[in-house]
Amino acid sequence: MHSPPHTLCAPRPRPFQNLLLLLWTLLHCGLGGSAQGPGEWTPWGSWSRCSSSCGRGVSVRSRRCIRFPGEEPCWGDSHEYRLCQLPDCPPGAVPFRDLQCALYNGRPVLGAQKTYRWVPFYGAPNQCDLNCLAEGHAFYHSFGRVLDGTTCSPGAQELCVAGRCLSAGCDGLLGSDAREDRCGRCGGANDSCLLVQRVFRDAGAFAGYWNVTLIPAGARHIRVAHRSRNYLALMASDGRYVFNGDWVLNRPGTYEAVGTHMVYTRDASPEETLLAAGPTSHDLLLQVLLQEPNPGIEFEFWLPREHYGPFQAQVQALGWSLRQPQPREVVPPQAPSAIPARTPTLAPGLVPLTAPPPTDPCPPCPDTRGRAHRLLHYCGSDFVFQARVLGRHRQDQETRYEVRVQLVYKNRSPLRAREYVWAPGHCPCPLLSPHREYLLAVRRLVSPDGTQDRLLLPHAGYARPWSPAEDSRARLAARRCPL
C-alpha cells in the first residue's frame, strides 16, 4: 500500500526538520503566501550629542526596520529628534545660521569666478533652506538645507530638522503633538485634577473688601472675570496684597506672585479679568472691592484631586458661606441699591480712572440651554471649533471677534489658526468675553458678488464656555447629526 502524497504546505513531522524550510512554510503556506503586515523595528539606539555647543539644539536617535519577504515596511519613523538645552551662549556669539552662511565666503558659486560675503536672508519661502544674501548686492542664493538644530527664524522657538520647521511637544520631542493637559500632565486627559468653577453672587451690604474665594496652592489655569465698577483684589498668604489692596488701585499689567504670572486687565467697558497659568506655590485670597452692587464674579481654576478635599474643608472652616467682610471695612449697613461709594486712591503716578458715560444696557439674551438647541446649531453649522477670544471690536451694526482656533470638531473647508468671527448687532447674543475659551458653531457667509467671505455666529447661536463636560456634549451631538 502506498502512502498518500504530501505537499510542502503539509510537511510530515520530523524531529530535525530544517529550520529554514519551516520558516519558508510558515511564511508562504501557513500564512497564505501574501503580504503579512508591517515588519518590526529594532530597539531605539542611544541619543546623539547635542547639535549645538550652547543654547538650544537637537539630539537624534534611530532604529532599523526588520522585514521578511512579503512584509510591508514598518509603521512609524526611523529617526526621532528631541530638544536639548545647554547653557546660554555668551554675549556676542555668532548665531548658528550666520556661521553656516559664512562657510561660503570667498568661494565661487554658480560657476562664476567672482566671490561674495554671505549673511542670512530670511525672506525666502522655505525657512529651513540655507538662504544667504550676498552683502552689498540685491540677490540671495540657497545652499541647500540648514543643519539640524538651526532656529527657523530669529527669536523663534521652532527648530529645523531634516528640512522641516518643527516645534517641541511637552515630551521634548520635535514634531510631537504632546501637550500638557489642564492638570499639567504631558499627554494627560484632565483626569488627575478637578475644575472648580463658580459664580460669586453676594450683593454686599456696604462698600469695602469682600472675600470671594481661596485659590489654593497647586491651582492652574486661573480665570476670574466680571463686568462692573467694582475692583478685584488679590492677597498673598502673608497678608500682603498683590494688587488693589488697602484702597489703592494699581495699573493693569502682569504681576509676579506665588510662582506664576498674574495678568490683570481692566478696561472702560467696564470689564475686569485675572488670568494665570499656574501652578501656584502658595495660597491666594481673591477679594472684591465693592463700590456698587455685585452683578456676579465668575471664577474658575483646576486643582489636583488630592488638593480638593483640603480646599473644601479650609473654605468651610473659614465660614465663607456667610461672606463676612474684613473688620476694618465695617460701616453702618445700607441697602444694596444705595452702597456708599468710597473712592479708592491711586498709586503714585497712576492716571485717575474715569467712569465711562452711562449707556443703555443690552437686553438679556434668550435662554439657549438644552440638548435640542445644541443639536440644531451643531448639525446645521458649517464649522464647530474650540477657540480662545483674543479681541472684540464693534463696527457699524456688527461685532467682530478675533479668535485663535484650538480644536476643530467639524469643518467644511480649512480653518486658519486665527480667524475673525462676526456677530450681528452691538449687543450680540451670546456676548463673548476676551481671553476666554468657547465652543462655537458658526456658518460660512459668502456675499453674492464674492467679495466677502465670513464666519457668522448667529443671534442666540451656540457659543458655550469650553469645559470638559461641554466637550463631551459636543462630541455626542456630532454622532447624532443626520448624514
Side-chain angles (χ1 to χ4, degrees), residues 138-156:
F139 70 90
Y140 74 93
H141 183 69
S142 179
F143 292 99
R145 291 178 178 175
V146 296
L147 297 177
D148 287 348
T150 306
T151 55
C152 299
S153 59

Side-chain angles (χ1 to χ4, degrees), residues 440-452:
L440 304 175
V442 302
R443 298 174 185 170
R444 186 180 183 187
L445 184 64
V446 181
S447 62
D449 58 2
T451 58
Q452 287 187 342

Side-chain angles (χ1 to χ4, degrees), residues 27-189:
L27 288 174
H28 295 274
C29 300
L31 298 179
S34 58
Q36 305 303 324
E40 292 189 5
W41 290 108
T42 62
W44 285 105
S46 57
W47 289 101
S48 70
R49 295 181 62 181
C50 193
S51 63
S52 177
S53 58
C54 61
R56 300 164 69 245
V58 169
S59 181
V60 61
R61 66 177 181 176
S62 61
R63 57 183 178 176
R64 293 190 304 114
C65 179
I66 305 299
R67 297 168 57 194
F68 290 112
E71 284 189 330
E72 298 176 2
C74 298
W75 295 339
D77 297 322
S78 60
H79 290 75
E80 202 169 51
Y81 302 86
R82 74 176 179 185
L83 182 69
C84 47
Q85 182 71 55
L86 299 175
D88 292 340
C89 297
V94 180
F96 196 23
R97 190 182 290 260
D98 294 59
L99 287 173
Q100 296 173 62
C101 283
L103 292 175
Y104 296 92
N105 289 347
R107 296 171 56 180
V109 296
L110 302 176
Q113 294 303 313
K114 189 173 182 180
T115 60
Y116 305 92
R117 291 183 61 81
W118 302 96
V119 294
F121 176 67
Y122 295 100
N126 191 340
Q127 295 176 305
C128 291
D129 283 346
L130 183 59
N131 304 303
C132 304
L133 179 71
E135 275 191 320
H137 300 272
F139 70 90
Y140 74 93
H141 183 69
S142 179
F143 292 99
R145 291 178 178 175
V146 296
L147 297 177
D148 287 348
T150 306
T151 55
C152 299
S153 59
Q157 295 298 309
E158 297 83 5
L159 298 177
C160 290
V161 171
R164 295 181 298 160
C165 184
L166 302 177
S167 58
C170 59
D171 53 5
L173 298 180
L174 289 160
S176 166
D177 292 329
R179 296 291 180 267
E180 280 191 356
D181 66 359
R182 296 285 171 169
C183 314
R185 293 179 58 186
C186 185

Side-chain angles (χ1 to χ4, degrees), residues 224-232 270-273 296-298:
V224 185
H226 75 104
R227 293 176 61 86
S228 73
R229 292 183 177 83
N230 301 320
Y231 301 102
L232 297 175
E271 183 171 23
E272 201 176 28
T273 63
I297 300 172
E298 299 177 359

Side-chain angles (χ1 to χ4, degrees), residues 227-483:
R227 293 176 61 86
S228 73
R229 292 183 177 83
N230 301 320
Y231 301 102
L232 297 175
L234 196 63
M235 179 190 287
S237 56
D238 60 1
R240 298 179 183 177
Y241 278 96
V242 180
F243 57 81
N244 292 352
D246 300 314
W247 292 91
V248 177
L249 298 182
N250 299 107
R251 287 185 184 275
T254 300
Y255 294 83
E256 197 165 339
V258 295
T260 190
H261 295 287
M262 302 279 175
V263 181
Y264 168 57
T265 63
R266 181 177 63 231
D267 57 37
S269 54
E271 183 171 23
E272 201 176 28
T273 63
L274 173 64
L275 300 172
T280 54
S281 58
H282 296 85
D283 293 350
L284 289 168
L285 177 60
L286 178 66
Q287 297 179 323
V288 59
L289 175 54
L290 287 181
Q291 301 292 294
E292 64 182 25
N294 170 34
I297 300 172
E298 299 177 359
F299 66 88
E300 64 180 46
F301 50 84
W302 292 77
L303 202 58
R305 285 182 176 271
E306 61 271 18
H307 291 189
Y308 186 75
F311 162 66
Q312 289 286 77
Q314 192 171 1
V315 168
Q316 292 173 4
L318 290 171
W320 284 2
S321 59
L322 301 177
R323 301 295 176 191
Q324 295 291 342
Q326 298 181 54
R328 71 174 186 274
E329 301 300 343
V330 173
V331 296
Q334 302 282 340
S337 59
I339 290 180
R342 173 180 170 183
T343 304
T345 58
L346 300 170
L350 293 187
V351 178
L353 295 174
T354 56
T359 57
D360 294 333
C362 294
C365 290
D367 189 354
T368 58
R369 293 173 295 181
R371 183 173 60 182
H373 180 269
R374 184 183 302 107
L375 281 172
L376 175 67
H377 285 275
Y378 191 105
C379 301
S381 66
D382 297 314
F383 303 93
V384 179
F385 52 87
Q386 175 190 350
R388 182 178 183 83
V389 179
L390 304 178
R392 182 176 65 211
H393 177 67
R394 292 184 172 94
Q395 60 184 60
D396 298 331
Q397 294 301 314
E398 296 177 299
T399 300
R400 187 190 72 186
Y401 299 102
E402 183 182 0
V403 302
R404 181 169 65 235
V405 178
Q406 296 181 300
L407 178 63
V408 177
Y409 296 78
K410 174 184 178 181
N411 62 313
R412 294 187 176 173
S413 58
L415 284 169
R416 295 171 297 181
R418 289 196 178 192
E419 293 278 3
Y420 287 121
V421 175
W422 297 80
H426 277 265
C427 291
C429 283
L431 181 67
L432 308 185
S433 299
H435 313 300
R436 292 198 62 183
E437 294 180 11
Y438 292 89
L439 269 175
L440 304 175
V442 302
R443 298 174 185 170
R444 186 180 183 187
L445 184 64
V446 181
S447 62
D449 58 2
T451 58
Q452 287 187 342
D453 187 351
R454 292 178 167 184
L455 300 183
L456 176 68
L457 177 62
H459 179 75
Y462 177 77
R464 307 285 175 81
W466 186 91
S467 67
E470 198 62 36
D471 172 84
S472 300
R473 296 185 191 108
R475 295 180 188 276
L476 180 62
R479 296 198 296 266
R480 296 187 176 180
C481 290
L483 298 177

